[in-house]
């Protein structure tokens, strides 16, 4: 089961990255929906590991995604799912085993029908749409996208882990909202990176970041980080506002969304302090 | 901010040697005491005649992207080096810190001292017969006004 968790993590991320690199609206949607399903599988498998008190972490192998055509990565996803089928006999829960098998069967079938397309997500051109940015603004945007796409992935993994190890319904509701919010940000940044030809898989998150010993301290630090992220968005928005109004508005939007995240984390902190545990 | 070209983008999107080595011969940690950022370097060591060689190296960064880039570059250079040559690489890296901006200096120093901690830790482990993980704190600061000197061993 531990190995299945790792392989599900890898295939989820690979499918998500494939969705970013597709320029066909239909294929992008299919891949994105499947990546959501695979992430839910990841959660179910993790739930079983927690129930069985098995120690695990979110370590995984590097995921090569640099392809010239979509069919290459799609075939690789199909192949991965085929290999994962060999692990199904080790899933004791019959209902879970059936869900995984039937979902994978359909995912493989549907993926095999996707139209091939040329992938430009690794061209390195570093231009976004037809916007003319100065080299300084382009560098700032590039660094921001790499930093923040990792950060959003990190937050997904942290809140997912906290949720898996918490039995508090109120906190879990907040953790789930924060996971969903980070998914939206990761999708926005990932698609932008693909359009700029600089797509990359976020690096592995170190276990000390999600195997949190002091949840209150973690939430306090998280609020400070969100405040810093707001400032970064504002700086970026200011840097590009003259050259690219669309981008400036997008970073203002992200900035204002952080207010909601801060409010959620403050609520979680207040609730946690009143209960004293997760 | 670091200047960004194709090579830097390659390091950011696919950093060399990122990850960990299970049951590594030695682990060294470089830490920024101001913000808790860390670099963890894992090495496997081979003995060849009189020399000790870094046969395998990996790193993890709980830090910003500039540190990841520094880790990718420095570990790539350190792979396959003797301890003596790796020591020279560390000295050169630390000697160049004044020429780069404070953020970049702190990031590069964190990687260099983590590598030094891994090497020193290996030597200490051989002397004492048990594995030692050393933590070296950096002297540079992302914010030069608050820079201070500190180094500790665990």
């Amino acid at each position: 089961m531990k190995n299945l968790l790792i392989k599900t993590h890898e295939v989820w991320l690979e499918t998500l990255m494939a969705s970013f690199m597709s320029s066909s609206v239909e294929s992008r949607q299919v891949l994105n929906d499947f990546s959501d399903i695979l992430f839910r599988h990841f959660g179910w498998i993790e739930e079983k590991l927690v129930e069985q008190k098995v120690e695990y972490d979110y370590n995984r192998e590097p995921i090569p995604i640099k392809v010239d055509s979509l069919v290459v990565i799609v075939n690789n996803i199909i192949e991965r799912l085929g290999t994962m089928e060999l692990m199904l006999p080790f899933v004791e829960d019959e209902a879970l085993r059936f869900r995984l098998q039937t979902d994978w069967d359909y995912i493989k079938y549907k993926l095999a029908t996707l139209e091939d397309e040329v992938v430009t997500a690794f061209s390195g051109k570093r231009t976004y749409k037809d916007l003319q940015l100065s080299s300084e603004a382009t560098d700032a945007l590039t660094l921001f996208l790499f930093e923040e796409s990792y950060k959003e992935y990190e937050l997904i993994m942290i809140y997912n882990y906290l949720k898996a190890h918490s039995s508090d319904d109120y906190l879990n509701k907040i953790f789930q909202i924060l996971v969903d919010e980070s998914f939206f940000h990761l999708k926005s940044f990932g698609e932008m990176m693909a359009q700029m030809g600089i797509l990359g898989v976020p690096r592995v998150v170190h276990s000390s970041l999600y195997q949190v010993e002091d949840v209150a301290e973690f939430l306090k630090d998280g609020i400070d980080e969100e405040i810093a992220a707001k400032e970064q968005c504002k700086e970026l928005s200011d840097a590009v506002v003259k050259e690219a109004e669309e981008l400036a508005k997008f970073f203002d939007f992200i900035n204002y969304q952080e207010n909601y995240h801060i409010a959620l984390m403050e609520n979680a902190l207040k609730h946690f302090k009143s209960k004293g545990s997760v | 901010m670091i200047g960004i070209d194709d090579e830097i983008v390659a390091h950011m999107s696919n950093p060399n040697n990122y990850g960990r080595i299970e049951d590594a011969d030695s682990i060294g940690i470089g830490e920024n005491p101001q913000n808790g950022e860390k670099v963890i370097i894992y090495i496997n060591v081979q003995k060849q005649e009189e020399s000790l060689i870094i046969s395998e190296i990996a790193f993890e960064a709980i830090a910003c992207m500039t540190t990841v880039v520094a880790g990718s570059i420095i570990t790539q250079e350190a792979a396959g080096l003797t301890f003596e040559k790796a020591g020279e690489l560390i000295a050169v890296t630390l000697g160049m810190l004044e020429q780069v901006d404070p953020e970049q200096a702190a990031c590069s120093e964190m990687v260099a001292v983590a590598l030094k901690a891994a090497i020193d830790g290996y030597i200490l482990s051989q002397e004492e017969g048990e594995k030692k993980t050393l933590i070296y704190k950096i002297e540079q600061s992302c914010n030069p006004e608050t820079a201070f000197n500190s180094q500790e061993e665990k």
Side-chain angles (χ1 to χ4, degrees):
Chain A
M1 281 286 272
K2 253 165 85 168
N3 207 22
L4 184 59
L5 184 83
I6 296 167
K7 294 297 149 196
T8 306
H9 188 170
E10 290 166 2
V11 76
W12 154 55
L13 265 185
E14 187 172 17
T15 310
L16 186 64
M17 293 295 128
S19 79
F20 297 157
M21 64 182 81
S22 171
S23 42
S24 143
V25 176
E26 193 191 331
S27 298
R28 195 162 63 230
Q29 186 62 54
V30 168
L31 286 160
N32 198 264
D33 288 346
F34 286 166
S35 78
D36 281 348
I37 291 171
L38 292 165
F39 182 69
R40 285 202 290 278
H41 291 177
F42 179 78
W44 295 337
I45 297 163
E46 183 175 26
E47 207 175 286
K48 291 288 162 202
L49 289 173
V50 174
E51 270 174 30
Q52 294 166 9
K53 299 190 177 6
V54 175
E55 280 186 23
Y56 67 94
D57 62 27
Y58 291 154
N59 200 23
R60 57 172 167 80
E61 293 296 315
I63 304 165
I65 58 162
K66 209 168 176 179
V67 295
D68 294 327
S69 65
L70 193 70
V71 73
V72 177
I73 195 162
V74 165
N75 283 341
N76 197 55
I77 293 166
I78 294 171
E79 218 171 280
R80 273 185 192 269
L81 291 171
T83 309
M84 286 162 63
E85 281 175 351
L86 302 173
M87 299 175 193
L88 275 179
F90 300 101
V91 179
E92 287 169 15
D93 184 319
E94 201 180 325
L96 175 60
R97 194 167 62 236
F98 183 77
R99 266 183 292 174
L100 295 175
Q101 179 71 76
T102 50
D103 280 355
W104 294 349
D105 284 346
Y106 182 70
I107 291 171
K108 285 191 295 176
Y109 159 76
K110 184 70 184 171
L111 288 181
T113 69
L114 293 185
E115 292 274 329
D116 193 16
E117 56 183 281
V118 173
V119 170
T120 58
F122 310 100
S123 67
K125 66 183 170 85
R126 294 211 291 136
T127 54
Y128 182 65
K129 296 185 176 172
D130 54 355
L131 300 177
Q132 299 291 320
L133 295 178
S134 66
S135 64
E136 204 176 43
T138 302
D139 282 0
L141 178 60
T142 303
L143 191 58
F144 175 88
L145 289 172
F146 274 108
E147 291 277 18
E148 293 305 311
S149 58
Y150 165 74
K151 199 73 213 169
E152 299 300 346
Y153 168 65
E154 182 188 289
L155 289 173
I156 290 168
M157 302 318 291
I158 291 172
Y159 289 119
N160 188 68
Y161 191 88
L162 289 177
K163 192 163 74 75
H165 292 267
S166 165
S167 52
D168 185 308
D169 290 344
Y170 181 77
L171 283 179
N172 279 348
K173 197 175 94 181
I174 290 180
F175 293 152
Q176 185 59 53
I177 296 170
L178 289 167
V179 167
D180 294 342
E181 291 280 315
S182 283
F183 259 114
F184 172 73
H185 286 187
L186 177 59
K187 181 169 173 279
S188 304
F189 300 149
E191 287 179 357
M192 205 178 272
M193 290 169 87
Q195 288 193 44
M196 292 177 69
I198 55 169
L199 185 61
V201 182
R203 63 188 186 272
V204 174
V205 180
H206 193 269
S207 58
S208 64
L209 293 170
Y210 50 83
Q211 291 173 350
V212 176
E213 283 172 15
D214 185 342
V215 176
E217 197 55 41
F218 162 76
L219 288 167
K220 274 188 225 158
D221 291 347
I223 291 166
D224 290 343
E225 280 191 29
E226 293 283 350
I227 292 167
K230 276 176 67 63
E231 192 53 40
Q232 271 193 311
C233 285
K234 192 178 176 311
E235 279 172 20
L236 203 51
S237 170
D238 291 346
V240 300
V241 69
K242 284 185 190 152
E243 299 158 283
E245 193 192 4
E246 181 190 336
L247 270 184
K249 282 192 180 301
F250 172 73
F251 288 114
D252 285 341
F253 160 67
I254 298 288
N255 175 1
Y256 300 138
Q257 284 211 319
E258 305 293 5
N259 293 339
Y260 175 46
H261 303 170
I262 291 168
L264 283 169
M265 290 163 82
E266 283 171 347
N267 287 346
L269 182 60
K270 202 168 143 193
H271 180 80
F272 178 79
K273 279 183 173 170
S274 72
K275 294 265 179 181
S277 72
V278 289
Chain B
M1 192 181 71
I2 53 171
I4 295 174
D5 55 19
D6 289 350
E7 198 187 337
I8 297 293
V9 168
H11 286 296
M12 291 198 289
S13 61
N14 192 18
N16 297 304
N17 307 308
Y18 198 86
R20 64 189 188 205
I21 300 173
E22 298 297 338
D23 203 24
D25 289 338
S26 182
I27 300 172
I29 298 173
E31 187 179 52
N32 182 341
Q34 286 190 309
N35 59 13
E37 288 192 347
K38 281 187 189 75
V39 169
I40 306 156
I41 288 194
Y42 304 81
I43 57 170
N44 277 340
V45 180
Q46 262 180 10
K47 287 176 191 159
Q48 258 182 27
E49 296 171 359
E50 295 299 301
S51 299
L52 294 169
I53 293 171
I54 299 172
S55 59
E56 206 178 343
I57 186 164
F59 80 102
E60 294 180 302
I62 304 171
C64 66
M65 190 50 79
T66 309
T67 306
V68 174
V69 171
S72 177
I73 295 169
I74 292 172
T75 59
Q76 190 179 16
E77 287 179 15
L81 293 185
T82 60
F83 274 14
E84 196 185 355
K85 289 282 178 196
E88 287 171 19
L89 171 67
I90 292 164
V92 168
T93 306
L94 296 177
M96 285 168 58
L97 297 180
E98 282 179 11
Q99 296 162 38
V100 294
D101 71 62
E103 188 194 344
Q104 205 178 332
C107 297
S108 298
E109 187 189 4
M110 203 151 49
V111 178
V113 298
L115 178 57
K116 185 166 170 27
I119 291 172
D120 291 352
Y122 181 83
I123 294 165
L124 195 62
S125 304
Q126 296 299 301
E127 287 168 4
E128 297 190 359
E130 60 172 333
K131 282 190 183 176
K132 296 274 179 189
T133 298
L134 300 184
I135 303 174
Y136 288 166
K137 295 188 178 181
I138 63 169
E139 295 178 2
Q140 300 289 317
S141 168
C142 295
N143 179 0
E145 286 85 43
T146 56
F148 64 99
N149 297 331
S150 165
Q151 184 164 313
E152 115 179 351
E153 280 185 13
K154 227 182 210 178

